[in-house]
Amino acid sequence: MGKYEKFWSGSVSFTATETFKDLNAAAEVSVPSAAAKIVMDAKTITYDFNRIKEVDPNANTLPTSRKENRDKGKGEKKS
């Protein structure tokens, strides 16, 4: 029996706070840095099911291409 991974995506409302040394430093930052404190509102979490995938421990992590398939279709114009 194989193992399976299930994937979800979703969204959540949050508040990020970060302390800066002065107004200009705060004004220059457009997104919170790693130093920010982020608080999520657990009541607003939503989940959307995406997919289920079988986990194959013997699978290659990078796709391979065979030499005979590499050149097929190159330079041919089809109409």
Side-chain angles (χ1 to χ4, degrees), residues 36-55:
K37 179 181 176 185
I38 299 175
V39 178
M40 294 186 297
D41 181 355
K43 294 177 183 176
T44 67
I45 296 174
T46 62
Y47 298 98
D48 296 312
F49 167 69
N50 282 339
R51 64 188 173 110
I52 296 176
K53 174 182 111 171
E54 184 173 11
V55 178

Side-chain angles (χ1 to χ4, degrees), residues 7-66:
F7 297 84
W8 293 268
S9 62
S11 63
V12 65
S13 293
F14 66 91
T15 302
T17 56
E18 190 168 349
T19 304
F20 297 91
K21 62 181 179 170
D22 59 42
L23 180 59
N24 288 334
E28 290 176 2
V29 175
S30 60
V31 295
S33 74
K37 179 181 176 185
I38 299 175
V39 178
M40 294 186 297
D41 181 355
K43 294 177 183 176
T44 67
I45 296 174
T46 62
Y47 298 98
D48 296 312
F49 167 69
N50 282 339
R51 64 188 173 110
I52 296 176
K53 174 182 111 171
E54 184 173 11
V55 178
D56 182 357
N58 299 318
N60 289 331
T61 56
L62 297 174
T64 58
S65 62
R66 295 182 177 195

